[in-house]
Amino acid sequence: MIVNFSINNKIFSSDSNKTILEVAKENNIEIDTLCFIKDCSGTEECGICRVEDLNTKKLLKACSTKVEEGMKINTASRLVQEAKKDRVIELLNEHNFNCGSCKRLSNCEFLELIKKTGAKRTEEAHCTQNADSLDNRSKAISLDRSKCLRCGRCVTVCREKIGTNIIQLNKIDDKVLVGPENLRCFDDTNCLLCGQCVVSCPVGALTEISHIEKVTAALQNSEKHVVVGMAPSVRTALGELFGLEIGVDVTKKIYSALKLIGFKKIFDVNFAADITIVEEGTELIERVQNNGTFPMFTSCCPGWVRFIENYKPEYIKNLSTAKSPQQIFGAATKNYYPAAQNLNSKSIFTVSIMPCTAKKYESEREEMETHNIRDIDAVLTTRELADLIKKHNIDFNKLKDSEADSIMGEYTGAGTIFGITGGVMEAAVRSVKDILEGTSFENIEYTAVRGFEGIKEATVTIAGNDYNLAIVSGGTNIFEFFEKNLVEKNNYHFVEFMVCPGGCINGGGQPHLKQSVKNDSDFKELRGNVLYTQDKNSEIRKSHKNPTVISMYENYINKEKGRNHHLFHTTYKNRKDV
């Protein structure tokens, strides 16, 4: 039903199912919020988005109140401003206001509200970090409840974007505390550790477990040979943390920054993504030729691997045994690289830079080592890399471009597109089709697997046979995929899964964006275009044709039978009943 009403003395007509906030946003009318997330039902916890109905002189929550016939809404009346300021003061009185040491100082949404409203703490207010408020038990995610506003954004995202409902507003005694049920460690629950709660948090309550000190100590240790490589999506977003627009490719500036920081060798995890396709593609071909287990599932996303282990362990046999690009990168730096350069493997300290918090957990899985040497020693998120660059007083935007070190720094266009939903699938199809048909195809852009739909399907013809593919991104879509039993119904051969909606470009370790920017921009498309542009401009666009990868196999991997499986493959565990 269409209703007529006014907002700030301007007449509007709208469907009565829409909220005041929805109509306001559609018409560029500003209403401050903390708990609101687009396409989610929200928690209505923050109390910031209140507006006044001039007919009743009452305050309404814009995020949950539907528009009605004859409403006269004012978004900035004296009553609204006083109520908003009072609510900010309430939150401020319970907030650890130690901004100077907070990771979110430069982009804290709550601090913006404080400045906007002119709110100040009351004299009796007192809240500081203590042993009970800080939870660093997880290998991936840190929770500081002294900074938590209990706005519920993390709860909403976990429930409606990821689908696990792990993080909750727990009522314990007379307090409301954010965290898993019974305040358990994230790692000990069915949490996927994707970090979407972290990037949704408006303050510094949820952050990644920092590895900056670990990396700094290694760089200062003269006995350590510290090497580094970044994942595809890092280059799409790091510039945002230095004031650049969304979607600026800063690949070669990052190489320059890493050299100034002091890393001995600058490699690229895209190189390892190419190896992943060689290994995963070979595994898919073997399953095709030997009537193996289908569908085969990708194994690049550690959040997805936790999903299988925690929720659907009966499908472990479907997972590719190939390690993720991060772990393959680590194994190569600890084995191939020292062999090629006559270095001691034990002196190598390998750092990966990831758009993901779950990668920190993955790096510490007990399976991820060779000859008692860990594949990866430290994982920095995109945000942590920016912090490290700033700590070294590097003027990032003025850096000149430079190149990665060639032995493990060259990569193909296929390796680049790993960072976006559908990219792993497209990279695999390019190589598998070439290999099975014994030719080299030029028409290699498989647009059917591209796009940000949660569940996509495609069929590709290879060597006269049709192969059914599926691409799933976003935790709730993964749950839906299995709840609808699509695996059994649709006779898939190969399925790509990524927990973060849109893939790694929207990972839990990427730069924080204001919720208004997330709601109103095509940030995933802008970041993704960086990868597709690099792919399109690459001289080589198929992983199996990377000359440095070919050289590695010829001169090292193939010199010992089974070495590729020993270094680049892994096993998984049923964690459902643990």
Side-chain angles (χ1 to χ4, degrees), residues 421-481:
T421 175
V424 178
M425 178 66 71
E426 184 170 352
V429 170
R430 290 180 187 180
S431 289
V432 169
K433 188 173 176 67
D434 265 21
I435 293 168
L436 283 179
E437 296 191 2
T439 186
S440 181
F441 287 90
E442 298 304 319
N443 185 17
I444 60 171
E445 292 187 358
Y446 296 96
T447 56
V449 304
R450 296 184 180 186
F452 294 111
E453 299 88 354
I455 300 175
K456 303 186 290 288
E457 296 178 328
T459 299
V460 60
T461 302
I462 301 176
N465 296 311
D466 288 341
Y467 294 93
N468 299 322
L469 316 174
I471 302 93
V472 188
S473 87
T476 51
N477 295 313
I478 295 175
F479 276 104
E480 179 184 344
F481 186 84

Side-chain angles (χ1 to χ4, degrees), residues 300-314:
C300 300
C301 171
W304 152 245
V305 170
R306 273 185 66 92
F307 175 92
I308 283 290
E309 292 181 325
N310 290 346
Y311 291 95
K312 296 289 180 180
E314 63 270 27

Side-chain angles (χ1 to χ4, degrees), residues 162-441:
I162 303 304
T164 58
N165 203 28
I166 293 298
I167 195 164
Q168 303 174 12
L169 293 169
N170 298 280
K171 293 185 178 179
I172 298 177
D173 297 328
D174 60 342
K175 297 180 179 180
V176 176
L177 301 176
V178 165
E181 186 177 4
N182 297 322
L183 306 186
R184 297 168 63 196
C185 172
F186 287 104
D187 301 2
D188 297 336
T189 69
N190 287 339
C191 176
L192 307 183
L193 303 176
C194 65
Q196 287 300 308
C197 58
V198 176
V199 288
S200 71
C201 182
V203 293
L206 283 158
T207 60
E208 63 271 78
I209 292 292
S210 178
H211 287 185
I212 290 180
E213 289 186 7
K214 191 187 299 187
V215 172
T216 300
L219 288 168
Q220 294 172 348
N221 186 341
S222 60
E223 296 182 0
K224 291 294 182 182
H225 185 92
V226 188
V227 302
V228 66
M230 66 170 158
S233 293
V234 174
R235 70 206 69 208
T236 74
L238 184 75
E240 296 165 24
L241 294 167
F242 293 93
L244 300 179
E245 293 182 355
I246 300 172
V248 176
D249 185 349
V250 292
T251 302
K252 295 185 178 182
K253 285 186 181 296
I254 294 176
Y255 294 154
S256 298
L258 295 172
K259 289 175 182 177
L260 289 175
I261 289 170
F263 291 96
K264 289 287 196 304
K265 290 291 181 180
I266 316 302
F267 297 139
D268 204 302
V269 176
N270 288 8
F271 167 85
D274 284 331
I275 300 173
T276 300
I277 289 301
V278 171
E279 294 298 321
E280 198 168 70
T282 300
E283 184 179 356
L284 180 60
I285 290 170
E286 289 175 352
R287 293 195 189 200
V288 168
Q289 294 176 336
N290 300 319
N291 196 28
T293 300
F294 286 107
M296 190 175 91
F297 296 156
T298 57
S299 55
C300 300
C301 171
W304 152 245
V305 170
R306 273 185 66 92
F307 175 92
I308 283 290
E309 292 181 325
N310 290 346
Y311 291 95
K312 296 289 180 180
E314 63 270 27
Y315 287 101
I316 284 177
K317 63 184 182 300
N318 296 80
L319 277 173
S320 168
T321 61
K323 291 179 179 178
S324 72
Q326 170 179 270
Q327 298 307 133
I328 285 180
F329 173 72
T333 61
K334 298 295 182 72
N335 293 275
Y336 164 60
Y337 171 60
Q341 300 293 311
N342 195 29
L343 297 168
N344 182 350
S345 294
K346 293 182 179 180
S347 71
I348 307 293
F349 187 96
T350 300
V351 179
S352 67
I353 305 168
M354 293 284 138
C356 176
T357 53
K359 287 292 182 185
K360 290 176 180 279
Y361 174 87
E362 180 188 51
S363 72
E364 296 192 38
R365 286 179 65 114
E366 60 184 84
E367 305 92 348
M368 298 304 179
E369 64 177 35
T370 308
H371 307 306
N372 295 319
I373 298 176
R374 303 299 300 173
D375 292 341
I376 295 289
D377 297 295
V379 180
L380 299 177
T381 62
T382 307
R383 296 187 295 267
E384 286 180 289
L385 174 58
D387 289 342
L388 192 61
I389 291 171
K390 292 171 183 177
K391 286 179 186 293
H392 282 78
N393 297 314
I394 295 170
D395 191 339
F396 184 78
N397 293 335
K398 290 185 178 179
L399 289 175
K400 293 182 179 179
D401 291 349
S402 66
E403 301 295 333
D405 292 297
S406 60
I407 186 171
M408 286 180 57
E410 294 184 17
Y411 56 88
T412 70
T416 303
I417 59 175
F418 258 61
I420 189 169
T421 175
V424 178
M425 178 66 71
E426 184 170 352
V429 170
R430 290 180 187 180
S431 289
V432 169
K433 188 173 176 67
D434 265 21
I435 293 168
L436 283 179
E437 296 191 2
T439 186
S440 181
F441 287 90

Side-chain angles (χ1 to χ4, degrees), residues 117-167:
T117 61
K120 294 182 180 180
R121 300 177 74 165
T122 57
E123 291 183 6
E124 67 272 15
H126 184 70
C127 180
T128 57
Q129 185 187 93
N130 55 55
D132 293 330
S133 68
L134 184 61
D135 186 350
N136 280 340
R137 292 173 294 171
S138 170
K139 294 180 175 67
I141 296 172
S142 172
L143 172 57
D144 183 354
R145 294 187 182 89
S146 72
K147 298 178 181 178
C148 178
L149 301 175
R150 299 183 298 283
C151 65
R153 261 200 217 169
C154 56
V155 176
T156 300
V157 166
C158 186
R159 180 182 66 240
E160 300 190 30
K161 297 288 188 182
I162 303 304
T164 58
N165 203 28
I166 293 298
I167 195 164

